[in-house]
Amino acid sequence: MQGGLVFIYTECSSQTKAEALLSLNKKIDIHKLNNTEEDYNYLLEEIQFKKKKVIKFIQFCRTFKLCSTAYLLTTNEYTGITVKENDKNKWIEVSFKTNAIETQKINISTEEHFKADPASSFSIFLEKDTPQSEVNKITVAFVDLLKMYGINKKNTLE
């Protein structure tokens, strides 16, 4: 019986990068903020960038022509993941060292990418009524995905 439990744990915890990306995209899509003022969609995908496979996090926006941004996670550490909220919504903020994330603005009409200023964080906006358990699942899934790509939490004792 004990061997069976180890097998089940191994099967559940050995998710591939593709499966982790798909699963996290689905979780975010279910709970993302849906309103007419801030019409954002999110997509996580793996891309080849400067001869390295990295996570590309895209924040799509249909409000303005050039308000969509791609964040290229080429760094090897993040500084934190925090959950914040106000009276309208909740959001998960993923933070990195200052200017550690390369970014590109995206023209949604043409899908052209333009170099943009580097960033230190990005946010995923969720519905205000998203249960804390679901927010926690998204946060944990994000941490697991970052680890798969060799991006670990910066040791604050350094």
Side-chain angles (χ1 to χ4, degrees):
M1 180 68 171
Q2 210 172 21
L5 290 175
V6 171
F7 175 75
I8 291 169
Y9 175 77
T10 304
E11 285 296 302
C12 293
S13 64
S14 62
Q15 205 175 31
T16 67
K17 288 178 181 177
E19 291 167 336
L21 286 163
L22 181 63
S23 175
L24 185 52
N25 277 323
K26 286 180 181 178
K27 285 179 179 124
I28 291 170
D29 196 50
I30 291 168
H31 299 290
K32 70 182 179 193
L33 179 64
N34 287 306
N35 70 30
T36 54
E37 294 170 18
E38 298 166 8
D39 185 19
Y40 283 109
N41 287 297
Y42 305 99
L43 175 66
L44 289 147
E45 62 183 1
E46 180 182 279
I47 64 161
Q48 190 79 22
F49 184 74
K50 296 182 181 176
K51 299 181 181 181
K52 181 180 175 187
K53 289 185 178 185
V54 300
I55 301 169
K56 180 179 182 180
F57 174 75
I58 304 173
Q59 186 178 56
F60 292 102
C61 166
R62 288 181 264 214
T63 311
F64 304 106
K65 191 175 182 180
L66 284 176
C67 68
S68 297
T69 304
Y71 299 88
L72 307 173
L73 307 185
T74 58
T75 183
N76 61 356
E77 62 185 18
Y78 67 98
T79 57
I81 297 178
T82 54
V83 177
K84 300 180 178 186
E85 69 180 281
N86 59 26
D87 57 336
K88 292 182 182 178
N89 55 42
K90 292 181 183 179
W91 65 96
I92 298 171
E93 184 176 279
V94 184
S95 302
F96 299 83
K97 289 193 282 185
T98 304
N99 297 328
I101 309 170
E102 293 192 43
T103 64
Q104 299 171 340
K105 289 293 182 191
I106 305 170
N107 181 330
I108 292 299
S109 303
T110 64
E111 296 186 18
E112 284 183 89
H113 288 55
F114 304 92
K115 187 162 177 62
D117 293 334
S120 304
S121 67
F122 59 82
S123 297
I124 302 164
F125 291 90
L126 306 171
E127 289 288 342
K128 177 71 174 173
D129 63 353
T130 302
Q132 189 59 44
S133 61
E134 293 302 313
V135 174
N136 293 343
K137 286 178 187 175
I138 293 170
T139 302
V140 167
F142 224 108
V143 168
D144 291 345
L145 182 66
L146 291 173
K147 285 180 184 176
M148 287 179 168
Y149 283 87
I151 304 171
N152 295 298
K153 187 161 184 351
K154 180 178 166 63
N155 185 346
T156 55
L157 300 176
E158 292 178 359

Coordinates of all heavy atoms in Angstrom, one line a residue, residues 63-109:
T63 N -8.4 47.5 -24.9 CA -8.8 48.9 -24.7 C -8.1 49.9 -25.7 O -8.7 50.7 -26.3 CB -8.6 49.4 -23.3 OG1 -9.1 48.4 -22.4 CG2 -9.3 50.7 -23.0
F64 N -6.8 49.7 -25.8 CA -6.0 50.6 -26.6 C -5.1 49.7 -27.6 O -4.8 48.6 -27.3 CB -5.0 51.5 -25.8 CG -5.7 52.3 -24.8 CD1 -5.7 52.0 -23.4 CD2 -6.5 53.4 -25.2 CE1 -6.3 52.7 -22.5 CE2 -7.1 54.2 -24.2 CZ -7.1 53.8 -22.9
K65 N -4.7 50.3 -28.7 CA -3.9 49.6 -29.7 C -2.6 49.0 -29.2 O -2.3 47.9 -29.5 CB -3.7 50.5 -30.9 CG -3.1 49.9 -32.1 CD -3.0 50.9 -33.2 CE -2.5 50.2 -34.5 NZ -2.4 51.1 -35.6
L66 N -1.9 49.8 -28.4 CA -0.6 49.3 -27.9 C -0.5 49.1 -26.4 O 0.5 49.4 -25.7 CB 0.5 50.3 -28.3 CG 0.9 50.2 -29.8 CD1 2.0 51.3 -30.1 CD2 1.5 48.9 -30.1
C67 N -1.6 48.7 -25.8 CA -1.6 48.5 -24.3 C -1.2 47.1 -23.9 O -1.1 46.8 -22.7 CB -2.9 48.9 -23.7 SG -4.3 47.9 -24.1
S68 N -1.1 46.1 -24.8 CA -0.7 44.8 -24.5 C 0.8 44.7 -24.3 O 1.6 45.3 -25.1 CB -1.2 43.8 -25.6 OG -2.6 43.9 -25.7
T69 N 1.2 43.8 -23.4 CA 2.7 43.7 -23.1 C 3.1 42.3 -22.9 O 2.3 41.5 -22.4 CB 3.0 44.5 -21.7 OG1 2.5 45.8 -21.8 CG2 4.5 44.4 -21.4
A70 N 4.2 42.0 -23.4 CA 4.8 40.6 -23.2 C 6.0 40.8 -22.3 O 6.8 41.7 -22.4 CB 5.4 40.1 -24.6
Y71 N 6.0 40.0 -21.2 CA 7.1 40.0 -20.2 C 7.9 38.7 -20.5 O 7.4 37.6 -20.4 CB 6.5 40.0 -18.8 CG 5.7 41.2 -18.5 CD1 4.3 41.2 -18.8 CD2 6.2 42.3 -17.9 CE1 3.5 42.3 -18.5 CE2 5.5 43.4 -17.7 CZ 4.1 43.4 -17.9 OH 3.3 44.5 -17.7
L72 N 9.2 38.9 -20.7 CA 10.1 37.7 -21.0 C 10.9 37.4 -19.8 O 11.8 38.2 -19.4 CB 11.0 38.1 -22.2 CG 10.3 38.6 -23.5 CD1 11.3 39.0 -24.5 CD2 9.4 37.5 -24.0
L73 N 10.6 36.3 -19.2 CA 11.2 36.0 -17.9 C 12.6 35.3 -18.1 O 12.7 34.0 -18.1 CB 10.3 35.1 -17.1 CG 8.9 35.7 -16.9 CD1 8.1 34.8 -15.9 CD2 9.0 37.1 -16.3
T74 N 13.6 36.1 -18.4 CA 15.0 35.6 -18.6 C 15.8 35.6 -17.4 O 17.0 35.1 -17.5 CB 15.6 36.4 -19.7 OG1 15.7 37.8 -19.3 CG2 14.9 36.4 -21.0
T75 N 15.4 36.1 -16.3 CA 16.1 36.1 -15.1 C 16.1 34.8 -14.4 O 15.4 33.9 -14.7 CB 15.5 37.2 -14.1 OG1 16.3 37.3 -13.0 CG2 14.1 36.9 -13.8
N76 N 17.0 34.6 -13.3 CA 17.0 33.4 -12.6 C 16.5 33.5 -11.2 O 16.6 32.5 -10.4 CB 18.4 32.8 -12.6 CG 19.4 33.7 -11.9 OD1 19.1 34.7 -11.5 ND2 20.7 33.2 -11.8
E77 N 15.9 34.6 -10.9 CA 15.3 34.8 -9.5 C 14.2 35.8 -9.5 O 14.2 36.8 -10.3 CB 16.4 35.1 -8.5 CG 17.1 36.4 -8.6 CD 18.3 36.5 -7.6 OE1 18.7 35.6 -7.0 OE2 18.7 37.7 -7.5
Y78 N 13.3 35.6 -8.6 CA 12.2 36.6 -8.3 C 12.3 37.0 -6.9 O 12.9 36.3 -6.1 CB 10.8 36.0 -8.7 CG 10.4 34.9 -7.8 CD1 9.5 35.1 -6.8 CD2 10.7 33.5 -8.0 CE1 9.0 34.1 -5.9 CE2 10.3 32.5 -7.2 CZ 9.5 32.8 -6.2 OH 9.0 31.8 -5.4
T79 N 11.8 38.1 -6.6 CA 11.9 38.6 -5.2 C 10.6 38.4 -4.3 O 10.7 38.4 -3.1 CB 12.2 40.1 -5.2 OG1 11.2 40.8 -5.9 CG2 13.6 40.4 -5.8
G80 N 9.5 38.1 -5.0 CA 8.3 37.8 -4.2 C 7.1 37.7 -5.1 O 7.0 38.2 -6.2
I81 N 6.1 37.0 -4.5 CA 4.7 37.0 -5.1 C 3.8 37.4 -4.0 O 3.8 36.7 -2.9 CB 4.4 35.6 -5.6 CG1 5.4 35.2 -6.7 CG2 3.0 35.5 -6.1 CD1 5.2 33.8 -7.3
T82 N 3.1 38.5 -4.2 CA 2.1 39.0 -3.2 C 0.7 39.1 -3.7 O 0.6 39.3 -4.9 CB 2.6 40.3 -2.6 OG1 2.8 41.2 -3.7 CG2 3.9 40.2 -1.9
V83 N -0.2 38.9 -2.9 CA -1.6 39.1 -3.2 C -2.1 40.4 -2.6 O -1.9 40.7 -1.4 CB -2.5 37.9 -2.7 CG1 -3.9 38.1 -3.0 CG2 -2.0 36.6 -3.2
K84 N -2.7 41.2 -3.5 CA -3.2 42.5 -3.0 C -4.6 42.6 -3.4 O -5.1 41.9 -4.3 CB -2.4 43.6 -3.7 CG -0.9 43.6 -3.4 CD -0.1 44.7 -4.0 CE 1.4 44.6 -3.6 NZ 2.1 45.7 -4.1
E85 N -5.3 43.5 -2.7 CA -6.7 43.8 -3.1 C -7.2 45.2 -2.7 O -6.6 45.8 -1.9 CB -7.7 42.7 -2.5 CG -7.9 42.7 -1.1 CD -8.8 41.6 -0.7 OE1 -10.1 41.7 -0.9 OE2 -8.3 40.5 -0.2
N86 N -8.2 45.6 -3.4 CA -8.8 46.9 -3.1 C -10.3 46.6 -3.2 O -10.8 45.5 -3.2 CB -8.4 48.0 -4.0 CG -8.7 47.7 -5.5 OD1 -9.6 47.0 -5.9 ND2 -7.9 48.3 -6.4
D87 N -11.1 47.7 -3.2 CA -12.6 47.4 -3.1 C -13.2 46.9 -4.5 O -14.3 46.4 -4.5 CB -13.3 48.7 -2.7 CG -13.0 49.9 -3.6 OD1 -11.9 49.9 -4.3 OD2 -13.8 50.8 -3.7
K88 N -12.4 46.9 -5.6 CA -12.9 46.5 -6.9 C -12.4 45.1 -7.3 O -13.1 44.3 -7.9 CB -12.4 47.4 -8.0 CG -13.1 48.8 -7.9 CD -12.7 49.6 -9.0 CE -13.3 51.0 -8.9 NZ -12.8 51.9 -10.0
N89 N -11.1 44.7 -6.9 CA -10.6 43.4 -7.3 C -9.4 43.0 -6.5 O -9.0 43.7 -5.6 CB -10.2 43.5 -8.8 CG -9.2 44.7 -9.1 OD1 -8.3 44.9 -8.3 ND2 -9.4 45.4 -10.2
K90 N -8.9 41.8 -6.8 CA -7.7 41.3 -6.2 C -6.7 41.1 -7.3 O -7.0 41.0 -8.5 CB -7.9 39.8 -5.7 CG -8.8 39.7 -4.5 CD -9.0 38.3 -4.1 CE -9.9 38.2 -2.9 NZ -10.1 36.8 -2.5
W91 N -5.4 41.1 -7.0 CA -4.4 40.8 -8.0 C -3.2 40.2 -7.3 O -2.9 40.3 -6.1 CB -4.0 42.1 -8.8 CG -3.3 43.2 -8.0 CD1 -2.0 43.4 -7.9 CD2 -3.9 44.2 -7.3 NE1 -1.7 44.5 -7.1 CE2 -2.9 45.0 -6.7 CE3 -5.3 44.6 -7.0 CZ2 -3.2 46.2 -5.9 CZ3 -5.5 45.7 -6.2 CH2 -4.5 46.5 -5.7
I92 N -2.5 39.4 -8.2 CA -1.3 38.7 -7.8 C -0.2 39.5 -8.4 O -0.2 39.7 -9.7 CB -1.3 37.3 -8.2 CG1 -2.5 36.5 -7.6 CG2 0.0 36.6 -7.9 CD1 -2.7 35.1 -8.1
E93 N 0.8 40.0 -7.6 CA 1.9 40.7 -8.2 C 3.2 39.8 -8.1 O 3.5 39.4 -7.0 CB 2.1 42.0 -7.5 CG 3.2 42.9 -8.0 CD 3.3 44.2 -7.4 OE1 2.5 45.1 -7.7 OE2 4.2 44.3 -6.5
V94 N 3.8 39.6 -9.2 CA 5.1 38.8 -9.2 C 6.2 39.8 -9.4 O 6.2 40.6 -10.4 CB 5.1 37.8 -10.4 CG1 6.3 36.9 -10.3 CG2 3.8 36.9 -10.3
S95 N 7.1 39.9 -8.4 CA 8.2 40.9 -8.4 C 9.6 40.3 -8.7 O 9.8 39.2 -8.2 CB 8.2 41.6 -7.1 OG 7.0 42.2 -6.8
F96 N 10.4 41.0 -9.3 CA 11.8 40.6 -9.6 C 12.7 41.8 -9.3 O 12.3 42.8 -8.8 CB 11.9 40.3 -11.2 CG 11.0 39.2 -11.6 CD1 9.7 39.5 -11.9 CD2 11.5 37.9 -11.7 CE1 8.8 38.4 -12.3 CE2 10.6 36.9 -12.1 CZ 9.3 37.2 -12.4
K97 N 14.0 41.6 -9.4 CA 15.0 42.6 -9.2 C 14.6 43.8 -10.1 O 14.0 43.6 -11.2 CB 16.4 42.2 -9.4 CG 16.9 41.2 -8.4 CD 18.4 41.0 -8.5 CE 18.8 40.1 -9.6 NZ 20.2 39.7 -9.6
T98 N 15.1 45.0 -9.8 CA 14.8 46.2 -10.6 C 15.2 46.0 -12.0 O 16.3 45.6 -12.3 CB 15.6 47.4 -10.0 OG1 15.2 47.5 -8.6 CG2 15.2 48.7 -10.7
N99 N 14.3 46.2 -12.9 CA 14.5 46.1 -14.4 C 15.0 44.8 -14.9 O 15.7 44.7 -15.9 CB 15.4 47.3 -14.9 CG 14.8 48.6 -14.6 OD1 13.5 48.8 -14.6 ND2 15.6 49.6 -14.4
A100 N 14.6 43.7 -14.2 CA 15.1 42.4 -14.6 C 14.3 41.7 -15.7 O 14.8 40.7 -16.2 CB 15.2 41.5 -13.3
I101 N 13.2 42.2 -16.0 CA 12.3 41.6 -17.0 C 12.3 42.4 -18.3 O 12.0 43.6 -18.3 CB 10.8 41.5 -16.5 CG1 10.7 41.0 -15.1 CG2 10.0 40.7 -17.5 CD1 9.4 41.1 -14.5
E102 N 12.7 41.7 -19.4 CA 12.6 42.4 -20.7 C 11.1 42.4 -21.1 O 10.4 41.5 -20.9 CB 13.4 41.6 -21.7 CG 14.9 41.6 -21.4 CD 15.7 41.1 -22.6 OE1 15.4 41.5 -23.8 OE2 16.7 40.4 -22.3
T103 N 10.7 43.5 -21.7 CA 9.3 43.6 -22.1 C 9.2 44.0 -23.6 O 10.2 44.6 -24.2 CB 8.6 44.7 -21.3 OG1 9.1 45.9 -21.5 CG2 8.6 44.3 -19.8
Q104 N 8.1 43.8 -24.1 CA 7.8 44.2 -25.5 C 6.3 44.6 -25.5 O 5.4 44.0 -24.9 CB 7.9 43.0 -26.5 CG 9.3 42.4 -26.6 CD 9.3 41.1 -27.4 OE1 8.3 40.5 -27.6 NE2 10.5 40.8 -27.8
K105 N 6.0 45.8 -26.2 CA 4.7 46.2 -26.4 C 4.2 45.4 -27.6 O 4.9 45.2 -28.6 CB 4.6 47.7 -26.6 CG 4.8 48.5 -25.4 CD 3.7 48.3 -24.4 CE 3.9 49.1 -23.2 NZ 3.0 48.8 -22.1
I106 N 2.9 45.1 -27.7 CA 2.3 44.4 -28.8 C 1.2 45.1 -29.4 O 0.3 45.6 -28.7 CB 1.8 43.0 -28.3 CG1 2.9 42.2 -27.5 CG2 1.2 42.2 -29.4 CD1 2.3 41.0 -26.8
N107 N 1.2 45.3 -30.7 CA 0.1 45.8 -31.5 C -0.8 44.7 -31.7 O -0.5 43.8 -32.5 CB 0.6 46.5 -32.8 CG -0.5 47.1 -33.6 OD1 -1.6 46.6 -33.5 ND2 -0.2 48.1 -34.3
I108 N -2.0 44.7 -31.1 CA -2.9 43.5 -31.2 C -3.4 43.4 -32.7 O -3.6 42.2 -33.1 CB -4.1 43.7 -30.3 CG1 -3.6 43.6 -28.8 CG2 -5.2 42.7 -30.5 CD1 -3.0 42.3 -28.5
S109 N -3.6 44.5 -33.4 CA -4.1 44.4 -34.8 C -3.1 43.6 -35.7 O -3.5 42.8 -36.5 CB -4.3 45.8 -35.3 OG -5.2 46.5 -34.5

